Structures are given as structure tokens and as C-alpha cells.
Amino acid sequence: MRLSHKLLRDAALFLILISMPVYYLAFTYSLKESSKSRELIVTRQLTSFQNTLKEALWNGDSPYTRQIVSTLGNIEGVSSVVLYDDKMEKIQESNSPSKRIPFSHDMYKELESNQVKQIKTKSEGSFLVSLITKKTDQGLEKLGIIKIDIHYNDLIKSAHARSRTMLAVLLGIFILIFFIQFLYLREFLIKPLSDFEKAISEMNVYADIKLKEDPNHVFEIANLTKTFNHMGEELKNSAGIINQQQMQMINVSKMSALGEMASGVAHEINNPLMITTGFLERIQKAVQNDPEKYSEIAMHTEKALKGTQRVAKIVKGLRSFARNGSKDPMQEVETEKIISETLELCFERFKYGEIQLEITKTVSGKIICRESQISQVLLNLLNNAYDAVTEMPSKNKWVKVEVADSADQNKILIYITDCGPGIPKDIASKILEPFFTTKETGKGTGLGLSISVGIVEEHGGKLYLDHGHDNTRFVLELPRA
């Protein structure tokens, strides 16, 4: 889940969780304050009528008493007013009938003379009462008790309305604050993190990615940006060093391959030269004995020229192979040309090692490549095949080079197969790793196959071991031009 989505979700959950407590607190507070206000108003009205009510009760003025009770009953929020005499008999009643006051002797004692008191009971709820007395020569004489019931239904509705309004205002304020905070976080946290995510996904040794350093960012983000840019520079510098070392390893591998075929190359060059020398000597003798034997001279001369051309071809192949071709431009090259020139370099080595080198070409075509690098890959594979079979006891030793089309005909497949029984699984899993070798110390660097894999992948192809073949077979897969 994205950080922005999580913030929005958490904010919505927060608003839902606080809405009920806020509503309850607002409702309770509003109802409490309005109830106190109403009770205070009724208490003041009752207090103002006490002296008048006292005189009316003392004089037995029922009409006036009824008028006072009616007036008190018309006060907003009063549901009923009941006047009792000193024997708790109902004298006057206003509005709806009221239940008899459940007074006990102890409750009488709690009432102070002419003081208004609020009483709460389980049966009747909350109401106001006042003990009406008159001072006489014999002391305080109880004249009666007045009870006023107050209803709160309208106050409850009003409290709900005010609570909803307050909740809406608070939620609006919360949403506004959160929106402002969200915009701030998006600008100074979410956006920089998104830039980091994009930069990291695009980062490689070739990309020059540098994030903009904004002094307005929070300290942690600004520091992270500086660290990331520094890491990118270090990565780029390290990539340059690694590239240089890789070029050195390629040259080491190349020189190793040249060393392995040195003896074969010596024979390759020596034999044509000896042939050339021999034919030239025969020409000398032919001319000395019979100057008129022109046809024989021409034949021997042609053979001598072919020998020298073969020497030139071998030397050209060596020079092409030995040079650093990593910076050469990619060019369209015939597959057959690369294979034939590479085989020229190692043909004599296979011949003197008594290993049959077979070539099968079922297709031909061009590939876009650096010719010297693909030649290096083929030579590494052929040298490995030679080393693998040279110590085998069998007399029928062979290495096959086959060229075929892929199933979709978009790639050219070059198979290098030797007569070996295959590579064990534990070795096959590591055979393409750098510095892994099964050769004796001093005979192999363990770099040939790993470098070859890198070269082939750079050309958009694949180099892999065919695990399904009965013999040891490597497959070089290159896209057609």
C-alpha cells in the first residue's frame, strides 16, 4: 500500500473513532448546561413567588393560590406544579396530573424553610420542591410544600442539534488540518520518497542519476538525498574500475587461449613455410636442369603461393584475435566467416592432438557483432572441448561444430559438442561462474566461460550448457541481423 493511501485510510479511521466520543461529550455538556439554566430560571421564579404564596396560604385565599400555581405552570420547561398542605394533601395542581410526592419524615427534615431544593428519585426523576413556612409566636408553622416537575425533552433535542453542529465543525477543522498536513507531507516526504523509488529502480552502472537537493526538505530527507547522490557517484566510479578490471581479465583470458594453442600455431605456420621452401627449391632444380619446363615451374609456384597465403591468413587471424575489440563498432558479419577464421587458428592443434574436428553447416546468415569478441568465445569453447577430450583413453576422439536455425528462425545457434560423457550436475551448476575451473593449477584461469557469457549477453544472445544432451554440448545463441 502506498504511503499516501495509508495516510488517507488512517485519517478516515481516526475521524470515525473520535466522532462518537466527541458527539457524546458535546451532547452531555450541552444538555447539562441547558438543564442547569432551566432549573435556575424556575428556581428564581419560585423564589420570587414564595412570600406571596405564603400569605395566600396563611389567609386561605384559594383563588390567589390557584393563580400563583397557574403562573408557575406556564414557565417554559415546567410540566406540572402541585401544591400540598402541611398534611401532604393536594390543594392546587397545574398542567398534567402529578404523582404524590414520595416524602418520608426524614425528607421533611432535609427541607429548609422557604428554600428551593432539587430532589432526584427513581420513580419520578428530578423535580424542585420548597417547604413553605410562616413565623408565628409559637415558632415556624408549616403551611405546605410546592413541587415543580421540569421536563427536558426539548432540551435533549436541542442538545442533539448542537452536538451535530459542533461535531460537523470539529470534523471540518480536523479535515482541513489533515488536508494541509497531507499537502505538506506529500511535498516534503511522499514526493521525495517517490523520487527515491524511481531513481533506485532506474539505477544502473550506466545511468547518470542525481536527485535534486532541496534545502527546504526536512533534515532527514535532505541528508538522504545527499547520501543517495554520493552513493550514485561511488557506484559510477566503481563501475569504471570494474570495467577496467574486466577488460584486463578478458585480455588475460585471451592470452591464456593464445598460449594454449601456441604449439598448434607453430605447426600451422611452420608447415606451410616448409612446403613453400620445398617447392621453391624444386623450382630452382627444375630451372637448372631444364629451363624449358615452364609448366612444372608454374604448378610449383602456384602451390608455393597457396602456402604463403595460408601463412598470411593465420597471421591475420592471430592479429585480429589478439587485439582489444571491446570498443569496435558492431557490424554485420557472416557467421561462416567467423567460424572458418577461428577454426584456422586451432585446426592444426586438433590435428596433432589426434582429435577429429567436424564442421556441419546447415544454415548461413549474418549477425551484428564485434567479430573479434565472437571469435574469442568460439576459441574458448573449442579449447575447453580440446582439453576435455585430450586425456580420454578412447582413440575415437572428436569435437563437432554445428550451425543451425532456432525454431523461430530469428536466431543462429552454434553447437560445440565433444565426445565426453557430459558434465556432472554439481560442476554444471557452477561451470559458468567466474574463477571456477576443473583444470590443474596453472592450466586454467576459470575466466574463459564467464567472460564468454558476458560477451554473448552484450551481443543480445545466450551461452549455456545443454543439459539434455548425451555428450558435453555448449550452445551459442545469437540474434540474426
Side-chain angles (χ1 to χ4, degrees), residues 218-419:
V218 293
F219 173 77
E220 290 78 7
I221 295 295
N223 193 38
L224 186 59
T225 303
K226 290 180 181 178
T227 304
F228 179 85
N229 289 338
H230 178 70
M231 182 181 68
E233 292 175 1
E234 290 292 325
L235 178 63
K236 194 172 181 181
N237 294 335
S238 300
I241 295 172
I242 291 171
N243 190 48
Q244 291 176 359
Q245 293 175 344
Q246 187 178 22
M247 292 300 103
Q248 291 173 0
M249 286 193 298
I250 290 174
N251 289 331
V252 168
S253 176
K254 190 177 289 186
M255 292 303 105
S256 175
L258 282 172
E260 289 178 5
M261 65 178 185
S263 59
V265 170
H267 286 293
E268 284 282 345
I269 295 176
N270 187 55
N271 286 349
L273 286 177
M274 290 191 65
I275 293 170
T276 303
T277 303
F279 279 116
L280 289 175
E281 288 176 352
R282 292 179 67 178
I283 291 172
Q284 272 186 334
K285 290 179 180 180
V287 172
Q288 288 175 358
N289 297 332
D290 190 355
E292 295 180 357
K293 291 184 178 180
Y294 175 79
S295 60
E296 185 179 354
I297 295 172
M299 180 184 66
H300 294 323
T301 304
E302 184 180 354
K303 290 181 178 180
L305 286 173
K306 287 182 178 179
T308 55
Q309 287 171 358
R310 179 171 172 76
V311 172
K313 190 175 182 181
I314 293 169
V315 172
K316 180 183 177 183
L318 283 172
R319 291 178 62 188
S320 176
F321 179 80
R323 66 185 295 276
N324 182 8
S326 61
K327 295 183 180 180
D328 289 351
M330 293 280 193
Q331 294 179 339
E332 285 190 11
V333 185
E334 282 286 349
T335 312
E336 186 176 355
K337 177 177 180 293
I338 299 174
I339 294 173
S340 62
E341 289 183 356
T342 305
L343 291 176
E344 284 287 346
L345 296 176
C346 58
F347 182 79
E348 201 70 19
R349 185 187 185 201
F350 277 81
K351 179 181 177 181
Y352 282 93
E354 297 182 350
I355 299 171
Q356 186 178 357
L357 185 58
E358 301 177 15
I359 302 130
T360 304
K361 301 173 185 177
T362 58
V363 296
S364 61
K366 292 183 179 181
I367 57 174
I368 298 177
C369 67
R370 297 185 181 96
E371 186 177 349
S372 63
Q373 289 189 324
I374 300 301
S375 179
Q376 179 185 350
V377 172
L378 288 172
L379 191 58
N380 279 332
L381 293 173
L382 289 167
N383 279 335
N384 287 343
Y386 178 90
D387 292 337
V389 303
T390 189
E391 299 298 332
M392 291 178 64
S394 173
K395 293 184 178 180
N396 185 22
K397 303 173 187 177
W398 53 263
V399 173
K400 295 179 181 179
V401 179
E402 301 171 80
V403 184
D405 250 333
S406 62
D408 57 8
Q409 297 186 342
N410 290 329
K411 302 177 184 69
I412 290 179
L413 306 179
I414 303 174
Y415 301 101
I416 309 294
T417 312
D418 63 56
C419 60

Side-chain angles (χ1 to χ4, degrees), residues 430-477:
K430 299 181 287 185
I431 195 73
L432 299 178
E433 294 179 3
F435 304 106
F436 179 81
T437 180
T438 57
K439 299 177 183 178
E440 296 177 9
T441 304
K443 289 189 176 181
T445 63
L447 294 172
L449 284 176
S450 64
I451 291 174
S452 297
V453 169
I455 291 173
V456 174
E457 288 179 350
E458 191 177 348
H459 283 73
K462 295 179 183 179
L463 175 60
Y464 54 90
L465 177 65
D466 185 355
H467 297 281
H469 201 271
D470 294 335
N471 301 107
T472 304
R473 180 161 78 169
F474 282 89
V475 183
L476 174 58
E477 184 178 303

Side-chain angles (χ1 to χ4, degrees), residues 95-164:
N95 301 338
S96 60
S98 174
K99 296 179 182 179
R100 183 178 180 83
I101 300 177
F103 276 151
S104 64
H105 183 70
D106 293 335
M107 296 178 75
Y108 261 117
K109 292 181 179 180
E110 294 177 4
L111 295 177
E112 298 180 11
S113 178
N114 301 319
Q115 294 293 320
V116 179
K117 184 174 182 180
Q118 183 181 20
I119 297 179
K120 294 182 178 180
T121 65
K122 292 183 179 180
S123 58
E124 295 188 60
S126 178
F127 50 84
L128 300 178
V129 294
S130 179
L131 177 63
I132 302 170
T133 61
K134 185 174 176 62
K135 192 174 183 180
T136 62
D137 295 337
Q138 288 80 19
L140 289 176
E141 185 176 346
K142 295 177 181 178
L143 300 179
I145 294 176
I146 187 169
K147 173 195 173 189
I148 301 177
D149 292 324
I150 301 174
H151 65 82
Y152 301 98
N153 293 336
D154 58 330
L155 296 182
I156 293 173
K157 292 181 181 179
S158 178
H160 277 301
R162 283 195 292 270
S163 299
R164 285 193 292 269

